[in-house]
Amino acid sequence: MAWSIHTYANPTRFMNFSAIVLPYVWALAGAGIGIGLYLSFFVAPPDYQQGDSVRIMFVHVPSAWLSQFGYGIMVVSSIVALIFRHPLADVAAKSAAPIGAVFTFLALVAGGLWGKPMWGTYWVWDARTTSTLVLLFIYLGYMALWAMIEDPNRAARVAAVLAIVGAVNLPIIRFSVDWWNTLHQPASVFRLDGPTIHSSLLWPLFVVALGFTFFFIGVLMVRMRAEILRRKVRTLQMQQAAA
Amino acid sequence: MDSWTEFFNMGGYGPYIWSSFLIAIAVMTGLALQSWMDLKKQKRLVSELEARAERKRS
């Protein structure tokens, strides 16, 4: 059979494939986070303005990136689920939501702990922080929809619509720091004229981010495996109740 | 001040830095554990239901 995107869209194939790759994903996540922690504290220098407080960046920034990465996965999977009815697409969307919510939460908490010494306050209704808080609420609303609607097929459709509508928040978060001149600093890594962070802080940041990303993929695969089995349990229960 | 005290003090930012890292580690570990325990539970349920179906057939 020729390889296509459908190759891994089959739940049985996904179960086999994920069982094989998961140990490697966890190993890469552990290595990235372990080496990243070492770099964060023993290699990265204190910032010339912010001193050691800049180390909070190594939690805050990767978490913030993954909060949007997770939502990106949810939106793409939701579109695929609605249009192509892929058997795995809504499993992926549902499984990504709690992971994205956790990283949004961590981005906000680490941001607050960085804000206190640098801005003088844990929280400010700044454009970036407010739109990120909205992202957290969208994640929670999405998860609540799945929890409330019992039929997985119906829940998948309703939740997919919410995920796609909520995607308008992503560019708002991205450009909030340019559109509104408020407290949160503008982009300093992904910008057209190149990063403005010194390379001694930038490369440890990428190592932590890579570790966090593999952690995200690992948890996503575990949750997708659990979700596939949950649906199998549901089918078996209905078969046995009917028999 | 010895070097470890200085290290934990982090130029006076210690409480902010350490709590942000510890919260991240705790929350991420919790998420991974919860996901893994749910997977184990679903595996157990599938094997129980399959065993029951098998008994009925025989």
Side-chain angles (χ1 to χ4, degrees):
Chain A
M1 193 184 107
W3 193 91
S4 75
I5 191 168
H6 289 261
T7 306
Y8 294 106
N10 175 311
T12 315
R13 279 210 192 83
F14 175 81
M15 291 303 276
N16 296 333
F17 165 78
S18 58
I20 295 167
V21 300
L22 255 174
Y24 299 99
V25 173
W26 286 131
L28 288 166
I33 293 171
I35 297 169
L37 275 176
Y38 173 76
L39 296 175
S40 305
F41 286 107
F42 298 104
V43 176
D47 183 67
Y48 81 107
Q49 280 182 321
Q50 305 192 32
D52 281 307
S53 82
V54 75
R55 297 185 203 285
I56 297 174
M57 174 180 76
F58 300 120
V59 175
H60 173 70
V61 171
S63 301
W65 284 345
L66 286 177
S67 73
Q68 300 187 40
F69 174 75
Y71 203 85
I73 290 179
M74 255 170 59
V75 173
V76 172
S77 310
S78 298
I79 293 170
V80 171
L82 281 184
I83 298 177
F84 301 104
R85 298 287 157 98
H86 260 243
L88 271 180
D90 63 82
V91 171
K94 184 189 178 189
S95 306
I99 318 171
V102 156
F103 280 111
T104 312
F105 171 79
L106 286 179
L108 289 169
V109 169
L113 287 163
W114 197 3
K116 184 64 183 167
M118 290 300 112
W119 293 348
T121 176
Y122 286 109
W123 180 257
V124 55
W125 294 101
D126 159 276
R128 174 57 72 77
T129 60
T130 308
S131 52
T132 303
L133 185 64
V134 169
L135 179 67
L136 180 61
F137 290 149
I138 295 174
Y139 272 126
L140 296 178
Y142 177 88
M143 287 156 67
L145 270 185
W146 271 104
M148 276 177 345
I149 304 172
E150 199 172 333
D151 173 22
N153 292 318
R154 210 171 78 80
R157 278 198 299 277
V158 178
V161 172
L162 173 69
I164 293 165
V165 172
V168 293
N169 194 35
L170 286 187
I172 296 180
I173 297 175
R174 176 76 179 90
F175 297 110
S176 58
V177 285
D178 304 322
W179 291 342
W180 294 281
N181 190 13
T182 46
L183 208 45
H184 193 287
Q185 64 154 62
S188 51
V189 179
F190 297 115
R191 32 187 303 141
L192 292 174
D193 52 356
T196 53
I197 298 182
H198 193 264
S199 60
S200 60
L201 290 169
L202 194 58
W203 76 270
L205 179 65
F206 280 133
V207 174
V208 181
L210 209 60
F212 272 35
T213 306
F214 279 112
F215 173 89
F216 191 115
I217 294 169
V219 177
L220 180 65
M221 282 184 164
V222 169
R223 296 192 80 91
M224 285 176 69
R225 291 170 68 81
E227 183 60 25
I228 289 167
L229 293 180
R230 197 183 341 272
R231 293 185 186 187
K232 191 172 177 184
V233 167
R234 195 181 140 86
T235 312
L236 288 171
Q237 278 170 341
M238 291 198 312
Q239 280 171 356
Q240 296 191 1
Chain B
M1 213 159 34
D2 72 27
S3 66
W4 278 108
T5 321
E6 210 169 312
F7 179 73
F8 282 111
N9 187 45
M10 282 281 154
Y13 298 119
Y16 302 109
I17 298 171
W18 297 118
S19 43
S20 67
F21 277 82
L22 288 177
I23 291 169
I25 290 168
V27 169
M28 285 165 75
T29 309
L31 174 73
L33 273 181
Q34 183 264 333
S35 307
W36 180 69
M37 283 180 342
D38 182 39
L39 176 59
K40 269 184 47 176
K41 183 183 157 199
Q42 302 307 325
K43 276 183 183 166
R44 200 192 65 229
L45 287 174
V46 167
S47 54
E48 278 173 12
L49 285 163
E50 280 177 343
R52 196 183 299 166
E54 196 59 41
R55 271 200 306 277
K56 253 184 208 161
R57 230 172 286 146
S58 56

